[in-house]
Amino acid sequence: FMKTPSRNKRVGVSSEEHEERTVSILASLLKNVTANNNASKQRERILIKFTENDHEKVDRLMELHDKYLTKVEAADAELEDEIKTLQGTEAELGEEEIYMKRLDGGLFTLQLVDYIILEISQGAGVSVKQ
């Protein structure tokens, strides 16, 4: 989670794919490890990981948030240009197509990163919120 492995260790997977998979796994873990299914100790262990080493994992999450926010903003700018170009033609983009292109442009990963930040700020100590 803290850094993308070197090319030798991640054969066939780009660094962005690796980040996206890691974020997806972590979000799923936080979603499914709850007090409702008697996993409160495991959840607590996960949350403690974010307070270790002077909150370096929280800092990494914020870096990922900034990175994917920038990607989404760039994708939105490209989409705006494409919408203006296609406006009034038969190839005009529908709302669903626009949303899917935004998801492909990094919105999905940005939403997962924000979900993780929310879960951590809610469940971890006061020091994480600062």
Side-chain angles (χ1 to χ4, degrees):
F1 177 70
M2 290 305 298
K3 64 180 183 175
T4 305
S6 65
R7 285 187 180 264
N8 301 348
K9 294 185 180 179
R10 59 174 172 82
V11 176
V13 178
S14 72
S15 61
E16 284 192 1
E17 286 176 347
H18 178 77
E19 287 175 352
E20 291 170 3
R21 288 178 184 175
T22 305
V23 167
S24 178
I25 290 168
L26 190 55
S28 179
L29 195 62
L30 286 169
K31 181 180 178 187
N32 293 311
V33 178
T34 63
N36 295 340
N37 58 7
N38 297 323
S40 58
K41 285 189 179 186
Q42 287 86 355
R43 183 177 182 80
E44 187 176 318
R45 287 181 66 197
I46 295 167
L47 294 174
I48 286 173
K49 289 289 184 188
F50 285 92
T51 61
E52 294 175 349
N53 297 329
D54 198 29
H55 300 58
E56 69 180 355
K57 289 179 179 69
V58 175
D59 293 340
R60 176 70 173 138
L61 274 175
M62 297 310 292
E63 289 172 10
L64 289 173
H65 171 82
D66 291 342
K67 176 182 177 179
Y68 283 97
L69 180 61
T70 304
K71 281 185 68 172
V72 169
E73 288 171 346
D76 285 346
E78 287 179 24
L79 256 163
E80 286 296 320
D81 292 341
E82 188 175 348
I83 289 170
K84 287 178 185 176
T85 304
L86 297 175
Q87 195 170 14
T89 65
E90 287 184 25
E92 192 171 0
L93 295 175
E95 286 184 35
E96 191 171 305
E97 288 177 273
I98 293 170
Y99 183 64
M100 293 302 289
K101 286 187 179 217
R102 290 187 75 214
L103 286 175
D104 288 341
L107 180 62
F108 179 71
T109 306
L110 178 64
Q111 289 173 338
L112 289 177
V113 168
D114 289 346
Y115 173 75
I116 294 168
I117 292 170
L118 175 74
E119 285 288 332
I120 290 168
S121 64
Q122 178 189 11
V126 176
S127 63
V128 172
K129 295 178 186 177
Q130 295 173 352

